[in-house]
């Protein structure tokens, strides 16, 4: 994600805490998404799971009123076995 901050004029904030801090009553009272989570603006892009970088980039472009980026081609093996 920090690389996206270089591509787009945005601030990336990464918050990392031990899992034990996310499993408390105090955390649930904050009404935040289940960790791990990705938020872009007020939109929850992923909650409780990993999310592909492309999906995050699409959400960023949506927030900035930019056209969505094209999905990047897979590496050599992806191209080789492309159906």
């Amino acid at each position: 994600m920090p690389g996206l901050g270089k591509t787009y004029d945005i601030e990336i904030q990464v918050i990392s805490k031990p899992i034990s801090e996310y499993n408390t009553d105090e955390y649930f009272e904050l009404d935040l998404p289940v960790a791990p989570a990705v938020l872009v603006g007020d939109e929850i892009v992923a909650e409780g799971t990993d999310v592909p970088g492309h999906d995050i980039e699409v959400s960023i472009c949506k927030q900035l009123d930019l056209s969505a980026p094209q999905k990047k081609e897979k590496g050599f093996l992806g191209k080789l076995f492309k159906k």
Side-chain angles (χ1 to χ4, degrees):
M1 286 190 294
L4 293 174
K6 294 176 184 175
T7 304
Y8 302 100
D9 187 23
I10 57 172
E11 178 184 335
I12 303 288
Q13 181 180 13
V14 178
I15 300 171
S16 179
K17 297 180 181 184
I19 293 174
S20 60
E21 288 190 37
Y22 294 113
N23 293 328
T24 64
D25 291 336
E26 292 82 16
Y27 181 81
F28 288 109
E29 288 174 8
L30 296 174
D31 199 29
L32 294 171
V34 176
V38 175
L39 284 87
V40 176
D42 293 332
E43 177 187 357
I44 298 172
V45 179
E47 181 176 8
T49 184
D50 290 335
V51 61
H54 181 263
D55 293 354
I56 297 170
E57 193 169 359
V58 167
S59 294
I60 289 170
C61 289
K62 184 176 164 184
Q63 285 282 325
L64 298 174
D65 291 325
L66 301 173
S67 59
Q70 296 293 322
K71 195 160 189 168
K72 295 176 181 143
E73 286 291 323
K74 298 179 182 177
F76 174 75
L77 291 176
K79 292 177 184 177
L80 182 65
F81 294 107
K82 186 176 179 181
K83 294 182 180 181

